[in-house]
Amino acid sequence: MRVPLSWLREYVDLPAGVTGRDVQAKLVSAGLEVETVEQLGAGLKGPLVVGRVLTIEELEGFKKPIRFCTVDVGDAGGTSQAGGSGGGTGEPQEIVCGARNFAVGDKVVVILPGGVLPGDFHISARKTYGHTSHGMICSARELGMGDDHDGIVVLPPGSETGADAIELLELVDEVLDIAVTPDRSYCLSLRGVAREAAIAYGVPLRDPALLDVPAHNGEGYPVRIADQDGCDRFTARTVTGLDPEAVSPIWLQRRLQKVGMRPISLTVDVTNYVMFELGQPLHAYDRSRINGPIGVRRAHPGEKLTTLDGAERILDPEDLVITDESGPIGLAGVMGGADTEIADGGSSDVVIEAAHFDPVAIARTSRRHKLGSEASRRFERGTDPLTTSAAAQRTVDLLVGLAGGTAEAGVTEIAAPTEPRVITMPADHPDRVAGTDYGRETVVRRLQEIGCDVLGSDELTVTVPSWRPDLSYPNDLAEEVIRLEGYENLPSTLPQPPAGRGLTESQLLRRRVGRALAGAGYIEALSYPFIGTEVFDQLGLDEDDERRRTVRLANPLDDTEPALRTTLLPGLLSTLRRNTGRGAHDLALFEIGLVFLPAAEQVRPPRLPVDRRPTDEEIAALQAALPDQPRHVGTVLAGARERPGWWGPGHPATWADAIEAARTVAREAGVELTVQAGRYAPFHPGRCAVLLAGEQVVGHAGELHPRVTKAFGVPERTCAMEINLDLVEASGGVRATGPRVSTFPVATQDVALVVDADVPAASVEAALRAGAGELLESARLFDIFTGPQIGEGRKSLAYALRFRAPDRTLTADEATAARDSAVASAARQTNATLRGA
Amino acid sequence: MSAPNKSYDPVEVEALKPDAIERMRADALAAIAAAGDLEALTHVKTAHTGGGSPLALANREIGALPPQAKAEAGKRVGQARGAVNQALAARQVELEAERDARVLVEEAVDVTLPYDRRPAGARHPLTTLSDRIEDIFTAMGYEVAEGPEVEAEWFNFDALNFPPDHPARETQDTFFVEGPDGGSESGVVLRTHTSPVQIRALLQRELPVYVIAPGRVYRSDELDATHTPVFAQVELLAVDEGLTMADLKGTLDHMVVSLFGEGMTTRLRPNHFPFTEPSAEMDMLCYVCRGESVGNPDRPCRTCSSEGWIELGGCGVVNPRVLTACGVDPEKYSGFAFGFGIERMMMFRHNVEDMRDIVEGDVRFTLPFGMEI
Ligand SMILES: [Zn+2]
């Protein structure tokens, strides 16, 4: 909403010398977001006067037509270059002009030598086209009035020759630009902003809507409202005998220009003017072009209407339309129809509509037809229903005054019975909301200032003004008091919450996992969860892989990524690719985040009310409509896990590092993972580990399939891990038991076991442990050997077994017996033979 | 090596004469002093204290002496041997010290060698900044509440007093999960703020409720230097008896002091949100210029564009209608809430200029932030 300071002053006596910046600061403090203050006519300096064209001589022989004119500028003429206006000799001035849109006798705007136009354009008498030009006849653009007209400004004939045009055209002004929040619809008018300014400066408001209006008399233009929910108030007035030649006066055009509207024709300009003044959108129909009574109803399916912008629109049964006997003639509150618009030359008889429409209906129609207008903007935020008759009256008055029309006596005023909204609240409610002590006096005064009627002492009965549809509850009133008293004056106090329990186990775990992985050299990435379904092909997933079932978005940002991730790996791999693409080599990345797994069958959550707590069953039904959203941890590795350097060779990141990352995560949850060989996309079929917590599969790790690294454009032999942290957490949580530490000496026995090459080391170790008994302190695989000595298809695994008793020094025989038992167990379970035996 | 000579007249045993003993001792001491290294000293030790050394041989002769001469000779030899052993030990220590000094110098290395054998890791600064904000509030007694990112519209909008036609419910602002019919009428969205967590907290927890809700949220904005469709937010909710807007102001002030240091403060400006009433926009004092750039063209401030304040987010007193939807009696309880974007906070706090650096996952951006922020 653009608010010219000069216009605002018509309703509020702002203190002399107050600038736009001052008003901005006051209004901002009161809660209006005044974004900018535009300075109009900055740098403009006279003499700039009204001139009357006396003679025009067309100059020939130049590339473009040029006119040499004499212009009567009243007393301003004949001044020296340094002189001001009004001090001249009164002689006509000779001026050269390139425009042609004027005739002898026209009133024009003349800047004389010594004047300065916006843009620091200094005017002096100068020789041009063979003549000396003593000034310049100005165009709208040169004067900073807007740039939508060609040629020079031609003023109405009645303009007084020699008068100061800076004043006449209100060229110097300040315009506040206000971003109006949805709750302050009344501030989409000069009237509303003036009310705020009056409160801010503590001065009275001259309310432009306080007009004497005639009552409904049954002789006005007939109106039939078929849908009172959509339209509860409709005023129709008729003005006849308008002068079709009449144009909008300068002041009206200037005000429209300053608020950002283009002057069009007197009738349209007047309706726009009243809309900006009072906030009530109006529509003027050419009476000769409407047939029969005006109606308001919902559109019939398939009905069509060509709106003022020339577009033919197919109407929706929810659209509210204005009709006559021929059908729809306007989209109510949004835009009129082309058939009944005021003709270019003006209409002599017009019907004025000022109505109140349901905000939701207008918002939906505006949205449905992607059609916004100054009118719909106001209606959808809520207009003042009691302003329709005043706005119609104001329009009638202006048309009568400016275009010589006659107001017909007939007045149509249809209004559904309404009661003003009344809110009761304790007088100290604003104090209790704010946490400060305003006192009843202040509360009542502030509420009265915004237009409320206030009764009562301890319990206030507050009648809300019709222009504040946003005020419904005591807290709304509290906000009004607090903002007018100044948010900046609120005290600052710190509440004392009860003792909290700190982070949950799950939250602590997440932090530990992040720290552990970062400590192990991984860098955290936070990928977007949006994916295209082709990533599943790139990952090599089977057609029936569960991960292909996704939650899809109805309106994805990018149509190629319409789904939500079911695995963290695509995001991690594309982050890996981005980093390698930017020249990084040795990369270890991790991410902790949600994946989204749709329910077996999608159900729509119930529509629950908001006027009570939903029942537990209702909450459960909402929850059941949501996808499962477990938290995963993923890692990817490429390049060197350990770099080569002066210390010796490095080693590349391998499947073993990926599995170790999973163990690192699980250990933070107190879970020791079991690892089994498996086949699972996107992993290399021979280098893929299934990760188990107890019996439960919680994730996978290993080297990626070569086709996958190729498809994602990541380095060959990239390794990865993904684990479901929720599952890991659920299987952990057991508090560690303090071990009994034996101080007796350890007995060490090494064994080398030969097994078939495909026997997993984990099985051999498990068998050893099972057979060794309670004396075994640790079993560590320290070497693997293959070769001719061992035999084809066989391998030798060398373990260091450490035995220790809690209560005595083991004898050599005891240690040997335990070792033999371990070996025997391995022999039984894995067909192991003792190497060299 | 000869055996003890018992046939000699003991008085006549040359080796036990005082002069001879003295000479043996002098020879040994001279040899010890002359030993240049530990190896030479080992030879000297064998030569002068070993079984075949003159003093050892002399010692053996003592047995042949008549009893009256034994004591004197024994004392003489014993003193000589003691002196030699002492000198040997001293020289041993001396030579070892010399050797150690030489060897350690020879073993010196270049300790300035770089060592990037194992690449370093880091947590994402959005995670660690969120942790830090959580810690400020958990220290005060707040708890951290969480909820799903794919959320029911009722939690994300309805319960928060968004009317059915609120513009935020448009597809141009909010990601909608596709319904079974392919449309957007699924009743499920990607949460647009962490406010649904406030609703869940009010439904699940005992009153009073003091929670902070950090998390990922989604809005359909294209990624550019200042916007991202996926971002991190922190919201706070306090519902208790007698909470006020002044409590909100005090809590905000405490937060900015905790995050930016002493002297920081906040400012509230009226605004409008469905879920709070009264509502406010919250600004914090510019932590760079502390407001001194305002009206001071000589000291312009890039961080706040010389406005003196930085816009942080929205806040207000919990709308009683929100409490009603959660079954909390608004006559008895009141509350306050605020929320802001962590990316934006990070851009200010860590002088980050481009949002894309935060979201793209380039390790060069993340690594310097390390484990904590
Ligand atoms: Zn600053």
Side-chain angles (χ1 to χ4, degrees), chain A residues 364 367 433 475 479 487 492-493 507 510-511 524 527-528 552 554-555 578 582 602 613 643 646, chain B residues 114 116-117 122 124 144 146 165 170-171 174 176 178 203 216 228 245 247 253 277 279 360 362:
Chain A
R364 287 189 179 160
R367 212 172 292 160
V433 171
N475 271 39
E479 181 181 69
Y487 276 18
S492 178
T493 54
Q507 288 157 354
R510 223 173 300 151
R511 287 195 185 184
E524 187 173 17
S527 324
Y528 287 176
R552 295 176 66 93
N555 56 329
R578 181 175 298 129
R582 291 175 181 180
Q602 192 178 4
R613 183 190 202 278
R643 298 193 185 106
W646 54 262
Chain B
D116 60 349
R117 194 168 188 167
H124 197 282
V144 178
E146 294 174 293
D165 284 278
E170 303 270 315
T171 51
T174 300
F176 284 82
E178 193 176 87
L203 289 174
R216 261 191 157 188
T228 160
M245 211 163 164
D247 292 330
D253 286 342
E277 185 73 35
S279 302
E360 278 183 346
D362 193 309

Side-chain angles (χ1 to χ4, degrees), chain A residues 28-33 181-184 360 363-364 367 431-435 473 475-479 482-483 487-488 490-504 506-507 510-511 514-530 551-557 564-565 575 578-579 582 584 586-587 589-591 594 596 602-614 619 622-623 625-627 629 631 640-644 646-647 649, chain B residues 113-124 126-127 130-132 134-135 138 140-155 158-159 164-167 170-172 174-180 182-188 190 200 203-205 208 210 216 218 220-223 228-230 240 243-251 253-254 268-272 277-280 317-318 320-321 324-327 336 359-364 366-367 371-372:
Chain A
V28 164
S29 168
L32 289 182
E33 199 174 330
T181 51
D183 57 329
R184 302 208 179 283
V360 172
R364 287 189 179 160
R367 212 172 292 160
D431 296 9
R432 283 188 285 120
V433 171
Y473 298 92
N475 271 39
D476 300 335
L477 300 179
E479 181 181 69
I482 298 168
R483 77 174 173 92
Y487 276 18
E488 65 275 17
L490 282 168
S492 178
T493 54
L494 205 52
Q496 292 292 322
R501 286 160 297 186
L503 298 180
T504 63
S506 163
Q507 288 157 354
R510 223 173 300 151
R511 287 195 185 184
R515 286 206 189 94
L517 287 173
Y522 290 82
I523 296 174
E524 187 173 17
L526 297 171
S527 324
Y528 287 176
F530 309 124
V551 174
R552 295 176 66 93
L553 296 178
N555 56 329
L557 212 49
L564 297 182
R565 66 188 178 194
T575 305
R578 181 175 298 129
N579 276 286
R582 291 175 181 180
D586 308 324
L587 286 160
L589 305 176
F590 80 99
E591 177 161 13
L594 302 188
F596 305 91
Q602 192 178 4
V603 290
R604 204 191 178 289
R607 288 182 188 277
L608 299 186
V610 292
D611 54 356
R612 59 163 173 84
R613 183 190 202 278
I619 295 171
L622 283 184
Q623 201 59 35
L626 299 179
Q629 300 170 55
R631 195 176 304 273
R641 181 73 173 127
E642 231 180 68
R643 298 193 185 106
W646 54 262
W647 50 83
Chain B
L113 284 174
Y115 197 70
D116 60 349
R117 194 168 188 167
R118 165 73 62 101
R123 300 170 76 206
H124 197 282
L126 281 181
T127 311
S130 179
D131 283 359
R132 178 170 280 265
E134 289 168 24
D135 291 346
T138 51
M140 295 168 71
Y142 286 74
E143 294 184 3
V144 178
E146 294 174 293
E149 292 173 15
V150 176
E151 184 59 287
E153 275 192 72
W154 189 86
F155 282 114
D158 298 58
D165 284 278
H166 194 279
E170 303 270 315
T171 51
Q172 66 201 34
T174 300
F175 290 111
F176 284 82
V177 165
E178 193 176 87
S184 63
E185 304 279 303
S186 60
V188 178
L190 301 194
R200 288 173 175 272
L203 289 174
Q204 289 161 7
R205 291 167 184 254
Y210 287 84
R216 261 191 157 188
Y218 302 83
S220 28
D221 289 322
E222 295 283 350
L223 174 64
T228 160
V230 182
D240 201 344
L243 289 183
T244 67
M245 211 163 164
D247 292 330
L248 164 65
K249 173 84 165 75
T251 304
D253 286 342
H254 177 78
L268 302 182
R269 285 178 291 122
N271 204 322
H272 175 73
E277 185 73 35
S279 302
V317 171
V318 178
R321 307 180 78 182
T324 302
C326 299
F336 60 84
V359 307
E360 278 183 346
D362 193 309
V363 295
R364 292 168 299 172
T366 307
L367 196 53
M371 286 284 190
E372 300 290 339

Side-chain angles (χ1 to χ4, degrees), chain B residues 286-291 293 301-309:
Chain B
C286 174
Y287 68 97
V288 174
C289 70
R290 306 263 166 160
S293 65
C301 178
R302 239 160 47 107
T303 305
C304 65
S305 311
S306 299
E307 297 279 338
W309 296 91

Side-chain angles (χ1 to χ4, degrees), chain A residues 202-285:
Chain A
V203 296
L205 168 76
R206 284 187 292 277
D207 185 349
L210 281 182
L211 299 175
D212 285 333
V213 292
H216 177 78
N217 56 22
E219 284 150 36
Y221 199 90
V223 174
R224 311 238 163 98
I225 297 176
D227 190 322
Q228 285 220 345
D229 292 338
C231 175
D232 59 2
R233 200 168 270 270
F234 198 112
T235 303
R237 298 288 300 274
T238 308
V239 182
T240 57
L242 296 170
D243 174 6
E245 301 293 310
V247 293
S248 301
I250 291 169
W251 62 265
L252 197 154
Q253 293 198 29
R254 288 296 296 138
R255 286 187 172 179
L256 287 180
Q257 284 172 341
K258 287 176 189 176
V259 299
M261 295 295 280
R262 205 162 71 96
I264 294 169
S265 68
L266 178 60
T267 310
V268 174
D269 291 351
V270 165
T271 56
N272 281 335
Y273 180 84
V274 176
M275 172 174 68
F276 276 92
E277 186 178 50
L278 301 181
Q280 169 67 52
L282 298 122
H283 194 76
Y285 301 91

